[in-house]
Amino acid sequence: MPIADMSSNHPVIEVKDVHKSFKSVHAVCGVNLRIHEGQFVALLGPNGAGKTTLVEMIEGIQKPDSGDIFIMGKQWHGNADELHRIIGISLQETYFIDKLTVKETLRLFASFYDLNARRVDEIIEIIGLKEKRKSYVAHISGGQRQRLALGIALINSPKILLLDEPTTGLDPNARREIWEILLELKRQTRASLILTTHYMEEAQQLCDYIIIIDKGKILAEGTLSQLLKDDGGEKIIEYRKKTLDDVFTAMTGRRLDE
Amino acid sequence: MNKLIRTDQLVQLVIAHFKELIRQPEVIFWGFIFPILMSLGLGIAFSQKTDIVRSVAVIEKNNPSDTSRQHSIIDDFLNVHGDAIDPAHNKGAQRKLTLSDKRIGNTIFLFVKKDWQDAILLLKRGSVGVIMEEADGRIIYHFDPLNIDAQLSYLKLSNAFARPATGVEDNHEEVKPLTVRGTRYIDFLIPGLISMDLMMSIMWGMSYGMIERRSRKLLRRMVATPMKKSHFLAALMFVRIAMNFIESALLVLFAYLVFDVTIQGSAGALCLVFLAGNIAFGGIAIFVSSHTANTETGNGLINAVVLPMTVLSGVFFSYHNFPEWSIPFIQKLPLTLLADGIRSVFIEGAGIKEIILPSAILSAVGAVFFTVGLKTFKWH
Ligand SMILES: Nc1ncnc2c1ncn2[C@@H]1O[C@H](COP(=O)(O)OP(=O)(O)O)[C@@H](O)[C@H]1O
Ligand SMILES: [Mg+2]
């Protein structure tokens, strides 16, 4: 998707010079972001980079120490109910009520958005948990739980989707199932996505814009090919072999999955 | 969009909380079976009119060669009025004395011969309340005067030993045992148990449950939606209150069937004060659980609320035994208001008129705590 065309529109998410500290840790230091309709953005960085802190500030769960965040031009304060209705989120650590079934859990969340049981059936179809719909949440696998979390994020057909490490800890098959759901969403809707990950493959597969973040700062951002090109002046033929991991290592001297 | 009450949301929250609750098997035990077992145990312990049996230590003379010849008042008395018994089946006692009384029930004393040190040990352990000793041809009674039970044993024993001529049987013509409804211990106990159950079930079920949900990060995801926070808490309270009604109804039915405990006042008044108690403790529970995500801290906070009231509010025994100055304070505790209210309906035949004030106070207490709790509630 041509980025230049969309930057003229109003961004769906705008983050301006946001800072956040925990005691001695400066988790997010002066981040700026603009994300547009339909854009799929990866926040790529190692553990402790500040991805969760940044995403949770965008989600309104945490408050920035300074800086501004606008969702569809609106700030969280005073607009929480309205903004909750247009975003869908999945937290890094996902917990639901153990003693409810998959279907009951979705039905409960549907009611928060004034949606009914029909939407629940649609979502169960989308996330492929039809066989597991009557299982207690406590009894489903990690991959199925992540799909349930994704289903809950999608239940209100959000304009903005924020997923914090949706595939961490999953085996390659389970990971690919989640990717399929997201790629299908990209084909079908105009929703925007921010996804955090420390798997460069995930960023490459799903996202058309990648932001590399470490120690609370954005190190580089752009499309995959831009990022690969920016680093050093190697010949085009070699670009294909180079990966984002190399880009990260060149900038920090460390590896992404360290 | 911003309606005051979102019905479907509220209904779904109630269904979810309810399913979560009943799918935990321990809920059935602690909620339904335990209170009934407790009332059964306490009811039997205090309501069966069997013989009162008390052990008494008698000090043996240190000098065994002398003892056989020496004249002993206690032995002589027991040889005449008491019965020889097998120590192996009678807590080591060789003699027993039965004071029979048709009106107030029999009292049986078991006499155990011990030296002074062993006797004191038995007293410390609570096996005996009174130690009898002979000196200069007189009987000396050793006991703790603060121990009412020991005092009663002393009075009965000294009376029997001082006036063997009148016989140990004593029919108190002036005693009229009460058989009026509502005067037995079980009548006092059941309303107390209902009140305590209500408090425990709300404080542990709701308050602890909420702290646990927060510590397991269950609340975070829910509040990142347009869910109304007040609905979440109200649904939680509603489910708990409904369970409490069922639990207490079972307890009342059980007490009626087994102990013939009846509600003398109006059932409507009982429901009213019971509901008000639920509101009061529901509010307190939300307030107590509004901040901490640490279950240890939660334990401490809940105990800090529950323990003083369990002791002070007259659940098991009347609070009128506490010092005079403390009674006005005790009477203002929510559990006291509740227990006194429920008790007045059960045994004094109170109706709506008598119950309206304590019910209003309890509801107001609940509303205040609920509001403050909701305002300061930490969802993350
Ligand atoms: N609640 C918190 N209290 C203290 N430190 C925190 C807290 N949340 C995050 N941090 C710290 O902030 C930094 C960024 O954390 P996080 O945003 O979780 O990184 P990521 O999601 O990229 O792994 C880390 O050093 C982490 O230890
Ligand atoms: Mg993280």
Side-chain angles (χ1 to χ4, degrees):
Chain A
M1 209 166 279
I3 305 294
D5 285 357
M6 291 199 306
S7 51
S8 58
N9 301 343
H10 260 310
V12 291
I13 296 175
E14 191 168 16
V15 174
K16 285 182 172 169
D17 196 26
V18 159
H19 289 259
K20 176 85 180 175
S21 300
F22 301 101
K23 289 179 193 119
S24 61
V25 187
H26 209 158
V28 173
C29 346
V31 165
N32 289 285
L33 286 179
R34 285 162 78 86
I35 290 161
H36 299 274
E37 189 182 17
Q39 216 178 1
F40 271 34
V41 176
L43 281 179
L44 183 66
N47 274 328
K51 304 184 295 294
T52 298
T53 309
L54 176 59
V55 166
E56 290 194 350
M57 287 190 290
I58 298 173
E59 289 163 347
I61 293 175
Q62 299 194 42
K63 280 201 178 66
D65 295 339
S66 67
D68 292 306
I69 294 172
F70 298 91
I71 317 268
M72 306 296 240
K74 289 190 171 142
Q75 290 186 299
W76 275 100
H77 185 78
N79 299 306
D81 194 70
E82 187 184 336
L83 292 183
H84 278 143
R85 281 172 192 278
I86 57 171
I87 68 168
I89 71 174
S90 132
L91 301 175
Q92 179 169 357
E93 294 167 280
T94 309
Y95 304 94
F96 300 110
I97 300 170
D98 283 346
K99 290 286 166 84
L100 290 187
T101 67
V102 167
K103 191 170 179 172
E104 287 163 353
T105 304
L106 285 165
R107 181 69 189 88
L108 178 63
F109 276 90
S111 77
F112 300 158
Y113 299 96
D114 307 317
L115 296 164
N116 57 25
R118 200 164 54 193
R119 180 63 183 155
V120 171
D121 292 334
E122 281 171 25
I123 287 289
I124 288 175
E125 194 73 44
I126 292 172
I127 59 177
L129 284 182
K130 209 157 183 177
E131 271 104 78
K132 288 284 169 187
R133 68 188 186 282
K134 288 185 179 152
S135 302
Y136 284 170
V137 170
H139 297 162
I140 60 177
S141 71
Q144 290 163 344
R145 196 167 316 198
Q146 283 294 359
R147 275 188 275 158
L148 173 61
L150 182 55
I152 290 172
L154 292 173
I155 203 160
N156 55 328
S157 316
K159 289 199 172 73
I160 300 166
L161 196 55
L162 297 130
L163 308 177
D164 197 355
E165 307 212 12
T167 67
T168 297
L170 303 187
D171 62 51
N173 272 335
R175 181 170 302 155
R176 208 151 293 128
E177 282 166 353
I178 298 219
W179 290 355
E180 286 305 323
I181 299 169
L182 291 174
L183 289 171
E184 185 61 26
L185 185 80
K186 195 171 170 65
R187 283 191 285 272
Q188 305 264 330
T189 70
R190 299 279 297 153
S192 313
L193 167 75
I194 296 185
L195 163 144
T196 76
T197 184
H198 58 261
Y199 300 118
M200 55 142 207
E201 197 195 349
E202 186 158 282
Q204 291 173 342
Q205 292 276 332
L206 293 178
C207 299
D208 34 45
Y209 198 77
I210 295 165
I211 296 170
I212 298 179
I213 173 170
D214 188 35
K215 294 183 175 154
K217 290 198 182 75
I218 293 177
L219 295 184
E221 57 185 305
T223 60
L224 181 61
S225 55
Q226 282 172 341
L227 284 172
L228 294 180
K229 216 180 303 175
D230 281 355
D231 175 58
E234 283 139 284
K235 281 180 242 146
I236 295 189
I237 208 92
E238 284 170 359
Y239 292 165
R240 306 198 188 285
K241 291 177 196 160
K242 211 164 76 173
T243 66
L244 281 173
D245 231 347
D246 303 324
V247 176
F248 186 77
T249 308
M251 284 189 285
T252 65
R254 290 175 290 129
R255 289 176 54 82
L256 265 173
D257 52 7
E258 247 172 37
Chain B
M1 216 182 221
N2 251 320
K3 279 189 295 181
L4 203 57
I5 294 175
R6 297 202 189 121
T7 318
D8 183 53
Q9 193 181 115
L10 200 53
V11 169
Q12 293 301 328
L13 278 166
V14 166
I15 292 174
H17 288 320
F18 182 71
K19 284 181 172 165
E20 192 188 359
L21 192 65
I22 58 164
R23 284 172 186 173
Q24 296 165 319
E26 63 270 23
V27 167
I28 308 296
F29 177 77
W30 290 110
F32 296 102
I33 301 173
F34 183 70
I36 286 180
L37 288 181
M38 188 139 133
S39 70
L40 185 65
L42 288 167
I44 286 174
F46 288 98
S47 76
Q48 271 195 353
K49 204 175 141 193
T50 50
D51 300 338
I52 298 172
V53 180
R54 293 289 179 271
S55 292
V56 180
V58 180
I59 303 297
E60 279 180 320
K61 292 285 155 48
N62 287 332
N63 208 336
S65 56
D66 278 1
T67 326
S68 52
R69 272 161 217 138
Q70 216 176 350
H71 171 79
S72 157
I73 315 168
I74 298 174
D75 285 346
D76 288 352
F77 180 88
L78 290 178
N79 284 337
V80 177
H81 300 285
D83 309 298
I85 50 172
D86 179 3
H89 298 113
N90 290 285
K91 303 176 187 173
Q94 296 97 343
R95 286 267 188 277
K96 85 171 176 186
L97 175 68
T98 306
L99 305 179
S100 50
D101 192 311
K102 288 190 195 72
R103 284 168 193 268
I104 59 179
N106 301 336
T107 310
I108 296 168
F109 287 105
L110 302 176
F111 294 86
V112 193
K113 287 214 165 174
K114 291 285 172 195
D115 65 22
W116 178 254
Q117 264 174 357
D118 286 348
I120 285 293
L121 200 62
L122 287 181
L123 189 90
K124 283 180 180 163
R125 287 180 186 155
S127 316
V128 305
V130 176
I131 300 172
M132 293 172 77
E133 190 186 17
E134 275 179 53
D136 308 328
R138 283 169 48 223
I139 303 176
I140 296 169
Y141 297 88
H142 303 269
F143 63 93
D144 174 8
L146 293 180
N147 179 344
I148 304 294
D149 191 73
Q151 238 188 64
L152 199 65
S153 294
Y154 154 71
L155 286 174
K156 290 201 169 196
L157 283 169
S158 60
N159 188 45
F161 276 85
R163 283 182 283 159
T166 60
V168 288
E169 289 199 17
D170 202 0
N171 262 325
H172 305 279
E173 293 295 338
E174 72 280 16
V175 173
K176 293 261 182 275
L178 285 172
T179 52
V180 181
R181 282 240 160 101
T183 55
R184 301 165 305 165
Y185 177 64
I186 190 77
D187 297 308
F188 180 89
L189 178 68
I190 291 293
L193 275 184
I194 291 174
S195 318
M196 189 186 70
D197 261 7
L198 183 161
M199 174 179 76
M200 292 293 188
S201 140
I202 291 198
M203 293 306 293
W204 289 105
M206 241 175 88
S207 221
Y208 192 83
M210 206 107 69
I211 292 166
E212 212 210 342
R213 278 190 189 91
R214 187 184 292 120
S215 79
R216 291 173 54 213
K217 300 188 178 172
L218 277 171
L219 300 176
R220 275 176 127 227
R221 182 61 188 89
M222 288 201 170
V223 288
T225 69
M227 181 190 78
K228 288 199 136 199
K229 294 166 181 172
S230 57
H231 284 29
F232 178 88
L233 295 178
L236 205 62
M237 261 178 88
F238 177 84
V239 169
R240 187 48 71 174
I241 291 174
M243 288 300 271
N244 283 345
F245 265 93
I246 300 170
E247 285 177 25
S248 299
L250 279 179
L251 186 57
V252 170
L253 180 70
F254 172 83
Y256 168 69
L257 293 176
V258 176
F259 296 114
D260 197 26
V261 172
T262 52
I263 305 167
Q264 304 198 9
S266 104
L270 185 62
C271 289
L272 180 68
V273 69
F274 188 77
L275 182 65
N278 273 287
I279 293 171
F281 283 105
I284 293 172
I286 284 167
F287 180 76
V288 165
S289 62
S290 66
H291 265 75
T292 182
N294 182 333
T295 47
E296 299 288 318
T297 311
N299 253 320
L301 286 173
I302 293 169
N303 274 323
V305 173
V306 157
L307 284 182
M309 285 199 264
T310 307
V311 174
L312 294 174
S313 293
V315 169
F316 297 102
F317 299 100
S318 168
Y319 55 75
H320 288 285
N321 295 326
F322 287 110
E324 194 64 37
W325 59 264
S326 66
I327 291 186
F329 296 103
I330 292 175
Q331 283 175 326
K332 289 184 183 72
L333 294 172
L335 187 61
T336 317
L337 282 172
L338 177 66
D340 283 356
I342 292 184
R343 210 165 263 146
S344 70
V345 178
F346 260 90
I347 60 189
E348 293 165 26
I352 303 273
K353 196 157 52 62
E354 288 84 3
I355 230 63
I356 197 84
L357 183 64
S359 299
I361 296 173
L362 284 169
S363 307
V365 166
V368 169
F369 277 107
F370 184 92
T371 313
V372 177
L374 179 63
K375 280 254 152 50
T376 61
F377 205 87
K378 260 176 66 181
W379 295 88
H380 298 301

